[in-house]
Amino acid sequence: MTSQTTLAEPGHQPDGPDRSDRTESQDGLQAGLKNRHLSMIAIGGVIGAGLFVGSGAGIAAAGPAILLSYALVGLMVVFVMRMLGEMAAARPASGSFSTYADQALGRWAGFSIGWLYWFFWVVVLAVEATAGAKILEGWVPGVPQWGWALIVMLVLTATNLVSVGSYGEFEFWFAGIKVVAIGAFVIVGLLAVFGVLPGSDHAGSGLAHLTDTGGFFPEGPGAILTGVLMVVFSFMGSEIVTLAAGESQNPQRAVQKATNSVIWRIAVFYLGSIFVVLTLLPWNDPSIVEKGSYVAALDVIGIPHAGQVMDVIVLTAVLSCLNSGLYTASRMAFSLGGRGDAPKAFARTNKRGVPQAAILSSVVFGFVAVFFNYQWPDTVFAFLLNSSGAVALFVWLVICFTQLRMRGIILRESPEKLVVRMWLFPYLTWATIAMISFVLVYMLTDDAGREQVLLSLLVAVLVVAVSLVREARKRRSATPAGTAGS
C-alpha cells in the first residue's frame, strides 16, 4: 500500500505554537483550506436550501411576524456561535463541539453528541440528494430520479476523497453563487419595493404590505413561536466553519472572522431577503406557497423565467449542503475514531490527508438512507427524518453547557488563547439555554414538532445509554489490572 496512514491523536489537540505556517495539522489532516475557502464556508454555512424552499410555509403561518421568528432564532444562533467561537479559537479541533464536550462534560457527552451530529448529517445527505435529483430529473427526464441522486452523491464523494482543498474549492463556488443570488435579490427587491427599479412594472408598495392585510400579527402574537419551529432548522450548518477551521492555515483567525461576521450574515441573508418578500406582495398571496416565496417575489417584480432561475439557485444550495454535509459527517467520524469512540480506521488519513474510511462510511449510510427514501418513504425514512429533527437543538444545548465549563478550563490552562469571549458570561449563556429549552418544550405542543422531539429524544437516550455502558465496561475491565498492580 503506497498511501501513508496517520492515526488521529485521542483527546483534545495539544496547545502549542500557532500553526499558521503548517501544511499538516497535528491530527493528521492537511491544512488545505485557504482563507477565501473559510470565508465563503462561513458565509454560506448559514444559507441552506431550507431558506429557499421552506420560507413560504413560515410566511403563510405567521404573516409578517415571521420576521420576528427569524430574528429570535437568529439571535439564538449568534449566541451559540459566539460560545462555539470562544472554544474553537482557543482549541481548534476537527471534532469541534464534540471534542469540547468530551473535555468539559465527560466522555459520554462527546460520544453522544458526536454520533447524533453524524447521524443528523447523513440523513441530510439523503434529503438533499433526493431534492437535487427532483430538479435534475425535471431538466433531463431521461435519467430516473434515483439515477440523478446516485450521480450527485458519487460526484461529491469523489470531490471529498481527492483532498480537503477540492472540497473547499467546490464549496467556495457553491456558496458564492448562493451569496451573490441572495445579495442581488435583496438589492433588486428593495429597488422594486420603492418603485425605482428600471424596467419593472411593479408599482412600488413601500412598506404597506407589512400591515395592510390583517396587520403585522394577522395570526396573533402566538404565531411567532409557530414560526420559530418552522424556521429554526434552516439555520443548522452555521457551526460547520469551526470544524473546517482545523484544516486551515490559521484556525484561530478563521474562527474569529466567522464568529464576528455571523450577525450581519443572518441580518442580510435571512432577515433581509424575507423582508423583501413581505414588502413586495401580501403575506397571504397564494403564490408564496404555490411557487415558493422567492419565485413569487421575482414574478411580481417581472423577472422573466423566475422559476427556472430559482431552480438553479436551489440546486446550488442543495449541492452545497450535500458537499458540506459529507465533509462534516466524515470529520465528526474522524474525530470520534481518534478518541476511541468509533472504529480506529475512521481516524486514519491517506497521503493526501483525507480520512478516507470516515468519508466512505458516511456515504454508505447516506446511500442506504436514499434507498429507504425511495423504498419506504412514509415509514423507515420518515422515522430517520423525525428522529434527527431536533438534533440541531440538542447540539446547540450541549454547546452552551460545554462553554460554561470550558471557560474555566481555558483560563486555567491557556488564558492567552481566550481571544474570543462570550458576551456577558455566564448570564447570556444561561439565557440561551433557557431559549433553546423553551423551543424544545414548545415543540411538544405542536403535532409535527412533538413527534420530532420525542423520536430525537429516544435516539439521544439510546446513544447516551450506549456511551454509559461502554464507559462502565472499560472501568470494569481496568479494575482487576489496577488491583493486581497495587
Side-chain angles (χ1 to χ4, degrees), residues 3 34 39 48 98 117 121 156 160 195 228 258 260 265 275 291 293 303 318 320 378 389 424 436 441 443 452 459 468:
S3 64
K34 300 174 182 176
S39 297
S98 174
Y117 193 68
W121 279 110
L156 293 179
N160 276 264
V228 165
N260 293 334
R265 285 185 276 136
F275 174 81
K291 298 180 180 179
S293 56
I303 303 293
V318 164
S320 172
D378 299 323
L424 298 177
I436 297 170
V441 171
M443 284 179 73
Q452 287 189 0
V459 172
L468 293 176

Side-chain angles (χ1 to χ4, degrees), residues 314-436:
V314 171
L315 179 62
T316 303
V318 164
L319 294 176
S320 172
C321 195
L322 260 173
N323 195 37
S324 288
L326 180 52
Y327 171 83
T328 305
S330 65
R331 286 340 185 245
M332 188 57 73
F334 171 83
S335 177
L336 288 166
R339 285 178 275 143
D341 292 336
K344 288 186 177 181
F346 287 5
R348 293 193 176 95
T349 58
N350 59 22
K351 62 183 179 182
R352 295 185 301 276
V354 173
Q356 191 168 296
I359 291 173
L360 293 176
S361 63
S362 302
V363 172
V364 166
F365 194 96
F367 275 128
V368 171
V370 169
F371 172 75
F372 288 156
N373 194 12
Y374 288 114
Q375 194 67 27
W376 302 290
D378 299 323
T379 51
V380 180
F381 188 72
F383 171 79
L384 290 177
L385 203 59
N386 286 319
S387 60
S388 66
V391 166
L393 293 168
F394 295 166
V395 167
W396 294 347
L397 208 53
V398 167
I399 288 172
C400 294
F401 282 111
T402 301
Q403 191 260 341
L404 285 172
R405 298 286 301 274
M406 278 298 289
R407 169 67 74 91
I409 294 173
I410 295 169
L411 284 174
R412 283 196 307 272
E413 297 182 2
S414 49
E416 74 282 356
K417 293 194 173 183
L418 200 60
V419 293
V420 176
R421 289 175 179 259
M422 176 59 181
W423 308 295
L424 298 177
F425 177 82
Y427 307 109
L428 269 185
T429 301
W430 281 111
T432 308
I433 290 171
M435 289 167 66
I436 297 170

